[in-house]
């Protein structure tokens, strides 16, 4: 995690609610069940697990379990169910919405040791892995067969497949290839009562209710995955990348719309505005067009003949939108440099601002020009600088809100702007998250996006999986629902709000 | 529906369980709520709605409601909920698994009058429709913008989008483009208590639980859709179609595997065996290669340069697998003729057999040769003829089991073989349905595919949506689960098994 990234302080803060006696009793029971070397309860050791990529929320769990096999997860969840203790699963902890933040007197189930690649089946284009397997390893093992795993979050060198499943992770190439949910065909899941079920499988479609789709992106609230089957795609014959400089953000946004309207589906269309380009240039000397108010990175892949023909069309479209510089990567080194600018942008922004806050929202592609203009107006009004680096092709914005964390009130102003940007996305017909998830950060915004009945229906399903509210409570939903029929009975979801944990 | 298609008699038969007094009281209440011209209770009028495309199951409902607007559905469902009456939604009634068969003393909600296309938005590639809209109309309205709706069931000229959503319909081009679930981005749903919720929307991904994925393919058991938003795809620049004749089924199956293994993803790869070719030839004189034991229809689409390059590769692959005739459609007329053979195959088989029964199963593509061989062995053993016409590219088999319905025991033998073929599919690592759904027909096979815990989890979700078990009861699950905590309380799902209805 980039140390310079900070999100603002959450509204509800309070001291830790640890009960050391209860924690030790729980740890002892888990140690007896799992054996040595798997259960941590020393507060110093537990500090490692206090937060995820959204480093603002810090909560120390009572116990951390380093699961070494599937049955460790089953035993831990069973014990939690028996004791009424909440649990949170964690992969690599790179999430950006606080989805893997522990619960103060709960168990954190760490899945990183479950990192075996169980089966590579190129003939049926499937790879079966344990949840701690790193995203990039799937492509690494599929590559000798000419295949690849498509979803590519920026953190793909460190993030885990289990976490990708929990958050329905995206990435630059999801424009063409879809999100994690479009690539997972099966999952083994430990339900909150400890039962093990199989959702989906290897076939493209399954009879019965498609609970796999609901499970992917459920942010740990329905259970813990212990095995994932993903499909792999044929690695493209050719990949070509183009860097295009524009004098206005509107022309860049118009080019994105025109490319898609022409029926061209690039592997990726990434956009960066002047501030993001300036930061990237200062950090990694990527040679982006000088003086550009906006830059597009357009990547096409597929059979060579197709890519060549479409590239010519993209050049023509950009030209009609007054692009002042069009550069096509001549070789892999030039291509890598173009991506280096884009991929380093988040970190690079950390060099031009003491702190920043990454937002994640979605708008219909056609609304890009006016939403970007309105976002600029809101930022000016708030006196806050915003750098834009985002997946333009699918309208997935990532405004980087810059602030000085030493200045009183600056973090709050940044947060306020971030939330106003989400409102803007919803009003434009979009969504409050494209790929980072809701987690702790955005649960308060769910009511902007969904009606009370919509949220109620989701929580009814959540209650079906987890009537006691023990699986990652306090995430995703603004107000936890009481499961069951007896009014007045409070569930763990009500009493274990992680926002009551320790905040740095 | 082709009159010559018959499925065997279901195991549980019995007389109708109509209660005319109760039916008339219910009809009167519905008439008072909905106004004139929308509520049918005359048994003669109700006969029209007794069955769907799987014409063997015939049950006369107590009342049929011809909904003219969304609120008719809401009012009907509310009344059903208040009276504890089961309801079944029906679109065009072309389904092949008995999913839209009514319940004997329940309400059938007919959605065919809800047939407005509400919005065509080519810039964001979305079309919003009412559920009674015919599948092909979406493409018709998207075509002027150079777009199309990808899922194309064989019944696309008559089947409705609402039914497609209920059954997660497929089609020949799902190999490349995916199933209905991959093309629906939002749905307005009337829940079994009459509440209206919105699942998904227009953005590609949404926060919260993805209940849209679970809803698509839930066969009417979670509620009734009243509005559907689908994404449209860019219509391809070029479409080219090839007909390939083989001396053996194994060579044809091997060609399918080799094409996919080479990284080529055709728009469609359809396979027909000798019996299916013979039937099609006799019916529509499609000019298929004479003496072929198996024929492939391979269609590639995309930019012309890509299609031309890949077509050459496909020819080489087929040549290496000893194809004895490769014919490429020179123009649209030839292309239409190639498809005519394939698309008429079901009906054509009706000319060579008094009756037949269509099965629907999935196997991993790599298992095609041995599963087809084993299927042939089972058919020989049973003394039954089987014609194979299927979506080879994604391993979706459609064996047509031929029998003489005048001969005692023949229907039962055909059913037995059909069920044995499904077992074969499951054992090969596949699934009991590719695109027709479970419905009434295959609910008994769900335990072959899923563990008791898997099915229990699905039913828990079903109970979350529909605790009283009123939405399309008796479909999809072999044993309805009691929802709620009070043992001994029987729900409508238990008492209204449609198999207890009238059987022709």
């Amino acid at each position: 995690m980039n140390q310079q990234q900070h999100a603002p302080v959450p509204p509800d803060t309070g001291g830790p609610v640890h009960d050391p006696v209860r924690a030790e009793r729980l740890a002892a029971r888990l140690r007896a069940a799992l054996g040595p070397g798997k259960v941590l309860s020393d507060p110093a050791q537990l500090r490692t697990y206090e937060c995820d990529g959204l480093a603002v929320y810090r909560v120390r769990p009572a116990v951390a379990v380093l699961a070494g096999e599937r049955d460790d997860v089953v035993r831990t969840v069973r014990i939690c169910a028996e004791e009424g203790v909440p649990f949170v699963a964690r992969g690599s902890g790179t999430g950006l919405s606080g989805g893997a933040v522990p619960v103060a007197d709960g168990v954190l189930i760490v899945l990183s040791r479950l990192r075996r690649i169980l089966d590579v089946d190129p003939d049926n284009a499937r790879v079966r892995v344990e949840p701690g397997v790193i995203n990039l390893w799937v492509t690494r093992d599929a590559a000798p067969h000419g295949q690849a795993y498509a979803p590519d979050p920026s953190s793909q060198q460190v993030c885990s497949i289990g976490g990708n499943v929990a958050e329905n992770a995206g990435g630059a190439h999801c424009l063409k290839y879809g999100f994690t949910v479009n690539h997972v065909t099966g999952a083994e899941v430990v339900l909150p009562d400890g039962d093990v079920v199989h959702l989906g499988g290897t076939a493209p479609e399954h009879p019965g209710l498609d609970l796999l789709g609901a499970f992917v992106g459920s942010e740990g609230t329905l259970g813990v995955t212990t095995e994932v089957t993903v499909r792999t795609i044929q690695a493209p014959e050719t990949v070509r990348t183009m860097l295009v400089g524009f004098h206005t953000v509107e022309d860049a946004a118009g080019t994105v719309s025109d490319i898609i309207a022409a029926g061209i589906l690039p592997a990726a269309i990434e956009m960066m505005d002047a501030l993001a380009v300036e930061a990237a240039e200062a950090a990694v000397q990527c040679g982006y067009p000088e003086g550009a108010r906006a830059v597009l990175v357009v990547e096409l892949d597929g059979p060579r003949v197709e890519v060549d023909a479409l590239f010519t069309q993209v050049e023509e479209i950009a030209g009609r939108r007054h692009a002042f510089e069009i550069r096509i990567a001549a070789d892999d080194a030039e291509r890598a440099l173009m991506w280096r600018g884009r991929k380093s942008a988040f970190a690079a922004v950390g060099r031009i601002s003491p702190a920043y806050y990454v937002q994640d929202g979605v708008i219909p592609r056609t609304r890009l020009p006016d939403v970007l203009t309105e976002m600029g107006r809101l930022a000016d009004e708030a006196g806050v600088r915003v750098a834009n680096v985002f997946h333009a092709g699918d309208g997935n914005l990532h405004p980087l809100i810059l602030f000085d964390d030493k200045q009183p009130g600056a973090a709050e102003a940044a947060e306020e702007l971030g939330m106003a940007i989400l409102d803007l996305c919803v009003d434009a017909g979009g969504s409050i998250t494209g790929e980072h998830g809701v987690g702790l950060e955005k649960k308060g915004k769910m009511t902007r996006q969904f009606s009370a009945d919509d949220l109620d229906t989701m929580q009814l399903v959540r209650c079906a999986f987890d009537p006691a509210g023990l699986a990652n409570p306090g995430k995703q939903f603004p107000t936890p629902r009481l499961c069951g029929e007896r009014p007045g009975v409070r569930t763990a979801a009500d009493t274990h709000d992680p926002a009551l944990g320790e905040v740095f």
Side-chain angles (χ1 to χ4, degrees), chain A:
Chain A
M1 191 53 223
N2 168 26
Q3 293 191 341
Q4 276 154 318
Q5 184 194 326
H6 301 300
V9 187
D12 287 325
T13 61
V17 290
H18 292 118
D19 176 343
V21 177
R22 199 167 168 236
E24 259 325 307
R25 206 181 55 77
L26 183 63
R29 189 172 172 196
L30 286 164
R31 272 190 202 103
L34 304 182
K38 291 177 174 170
V39 180
L40 306 180
S41 60
D42 173 353
Q45 290 181 307
L46 292 173
R47 286 202 77 86
T48 315
Y49 303 106
E50 280 182 348
C51 69
D52 64 5
L54 183 70
V56 63
Y57 299 98
R58 289 183 181 272
V59 180
R60 206 175 67 218
V63 180
V65 168
L66 311 180
E69 52 183 296
R70 201 243 345 236
D71 285 349
D72 290 340
V73 178
V74 174
R75 286 184 202 110
T76 303
V77 169
R78 283 241 161 88
I79 289 172
C80 287
E82 282 171 30
E83 307 251 345
V85 169
F87 60 88
V88 178
R90 174 194 166 103
S92 299
T94 54
L96 288 169
S97 59
V101 172
V103 172
D105 50 2
V107 174
L108 185 72
I109 304 175
V110 181
L111 300 170
S112 335
R113 290 186 182 174
L114 292 171
R115 45 171 55 194
R116 287 181 302 164
I117 293 183
L118 301 167
D119 187 35
V120 178
D121 176 4
D123 290 339
N124 289 303
R126 293 288 183 276
V127 175
R128 196 158 50 87
V129 301
E130 289 186 327
V133 162
I134 301 302
N135 174 294
L136 203 57
W137 296 358
V138 181
T139 288
R140 183 198 64 195
D141 279 28
H145 309 284
Q147 298 183 356
Y149 180 59
D152 59 341
S154 301
S155 56
Q156 69 181 131
Q157 296 187 318
V158 283
C159 66
S160 67
I161 294 292
N164 291 175
V165 168
E167 300 297 329
N168 189 17
H173 292 83
C174 288
L175 167 61
K176 179 166 183 176
Y177 294 107
F179 293 80
T180 299
V181 70
N182 306 117
H183 296 269
V184 173
T185 67
E188 181 184 78
V189 174
V190 179
L191 296 181
D193 62 1
D195 278 358
V196 177
V197 297
H198 294 86
L199 309 179
T202 52
E205 283 304 319
H206 276 84
L209 289 184
D210 174 13
L211 300 182
L212 183 63
F215 186 81
V216 176
S218 63
E219 307 193 4
T221 63
L222 303 185
V224 182
T225 183
T226 44
E227 214 178 279
V228 182
T229 303
V230 300
R231 68 183 179 96
T232 44
I233 59 164
Q234 195 71 18
E237 181 191 322
T238 315
V239 180
R240 291 189 72 189
T241 311
M242 177 194 277
L243 190 69
V244 194
F246 295 90
H247 289 304
T248 67
V249 167
E250 289 69 25
D251 277 337
T255 300
V256 174
S257 288
D258 290 353
I259 290 171
I260 303 287
I264 301 167
L265 186 58
I269 311 182
E270 300 287 304
M271 186 160 156
M272 293 166 70
D273 68 7
L275 191 51
V277 168
E278 180 201 315
E281 198 57 58
V284 298
Q285 294 81 47
C286 44
Y288 276 18
E290 222 170 300
R293 298 302 302 162
V295 158
L296 293 181
V297 178
V298 183
E299 186 157 285
L300 287 159
D301 67 6
R304 175 176 302 278
V305 285
E306 176 193 6
V307 170
D308 289 348
L310 295 179
F311 234 69
T312 312
Q313 277 191 60
V314 171
E315 283 183 84
E316 285 165 12
I317 290 168
R320 279 199 298 274
R321 287 284 186 173
H322 321 296
F324 72 88
E325 187 171 332
I326 299 182
R327 202 182 314 153
I328 295 169
D331 51 31
D332 280 352
E334 264 196 71
R335 195 184 147 235
L337 193 64
M338 287 178 185
W339 275 109
R340 201 165 159 225
R342 163 63 184 90
K343 289 194 175 171
S344 68
F346 281 26
V349 162
R351 295 166 55 108
I352 63 165
S353 173
Y356 68 92
Y357 171 44
V358 187
Q359 255 306 346
D360 169 43
V362 181
I363 55 169
R365 211 153 38 211
T366 46
R367 300 293 302 276
L368 274 176
D370 53 303
V371 169
L372 290 175
T373 303
E374 178 62 13
M375 201 192 297
R377 205 187 57 72
L378 289 174
D380 288 348
E381 249 180 46
V384 173
R385 288 194 303 167
V386 174
N388 274 299
V389 183
F390 60 95
H391 311 314
D394 43 17
N396 186 185
L397 307 177
H398 286 315
L400 299 164
I401 303 168
L402 314 191
F403 66 100
D404 182 352
D405 51 351
K406 304 280 181 299
Q407 205 181 307
E412 289 73 13
E415 189 199 10
E416 208 174 301
L417 178 59
M419 293 298 138
I421 290 172
L422 293 185
D423 289 343
L424 191 58
C425 291
V426 174
D427 292 341
S431 144
I432 58 167
T433 170
E435 52 188 14
H436 295 177
V438 176
L440 276 178
E441 183 201 13
K442 296 182 180 176
K443 62 181 185 171
K445 280 285 164 210
M446 288 288 273
T447 50
R448 270 294 259 139
Q449 174 111 42
F450 297 105
S451 75
D453 282 343
D454 293 349
L455 288 176
D456 235 36
T457 307
M458 289 183 202
Q459 295 219 60
L460 277 171
V461 171
R462 204 245 148 130
C463 288
F465 275 80
D466 183 22
L470 297 178
N472 209 8
K475 313 285 163 62
Q476 211 173 34
F477 297 108
T479 320
R481 185 196 169 86
L482 295 179
C483 304
E485 310 269 286
R486 290 167 302 164
V489 177
R490 289 176 68 81
T491 69
D494 300 296
T495 51
H496 298 285
D497 192 324
L500 295 174
E502 191 180 337
V503 175
F504 82 123

